[in-house]
């Protein structure tokens, strides 16, 4: 799982922030096949926490997918990445 704390610089309302977050979440879902959701700061108009999760039989494949998602988020000029954290669940 990849959790990213984001700052939405140009946002002046919750509606504007949700539009940016929805674009990131929907884009990551369709491009990389990950589960994605806004997980914190829903009531703040310039801040968002977004989590992305991937499942695979290979840890290397999950790492590659999450690397791609990480680059995808960083490539969006509307957001500033404040922090990013990965966590792993192994069975």
């Amino acid at each position: 799982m990849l959790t990213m704390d984001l700052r939405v610089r140009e946002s002046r309302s919750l509606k504007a922030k949700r539009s940016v977050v929805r674009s990131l979440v929907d884009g990551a879902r369709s491009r990389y096949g990950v589960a994605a959701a806004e997980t914190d700061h829903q009531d703040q108009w310039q801040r968002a926490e977004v989590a992305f999760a991937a499942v695979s039989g290979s840890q290397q494949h999950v790492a590659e997918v999450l690397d791609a998602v990480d680059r995808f988020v960083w490539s969006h000029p509307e957001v500033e990445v404040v922090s990013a954290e990965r966590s792993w669940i192994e069975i």
Side-chain angles (χ1 to χ4, degrees):
M1 184 170 85
L2 171 65
T3 305
M4 303 183 86
D5 191 5
L6 307 174
R7 183 169 170 255
V8 186
R9 291 178 267 203
E10 302 299 319
S11 176
R12 300 289 180 245
S13 68
L14 286 174
K15 185 176 181 179
K17 179 192 87 163
R18 286 186 188 118
S19 175
V20 171
V21 170
R22 187 177 316 113
S23 172
L24 288 172
V25 167
D26 291 346
R29 283 178 183 155
S30 67
R31 286 181 184 205
Y32 306 106
V34 295
E38 183 177 6
T39 55
D40 201 2
H41 309 301
Q42 288 92 341
D43 58 343
Q44 296 178 20
W45 48 271
Q46 282 193 325
R47 192 151 176 224
E49 181 183 86
V50 182
F52 305 93
V55 177
S56 176
S58 161
Q59 183 176 351
Q60 179 182 354
H61 182 255
V62 171
E64 290 170 358
V65 169
L66 293 180
D67 286 345
V69 171
D70 191 40
R71 287 190 301 273
F72 174 73
V73 174
W74 277 92
S75 73
H76 279 74
E78 305 92 359
V79 298
E80 173 186 342
V81 177
V82 176
S83 67
E85 182 180 329
R86 288 195 187 187
S87 55
W88 299 92
I89 298 173
E90 294 186 40
I91 299 176

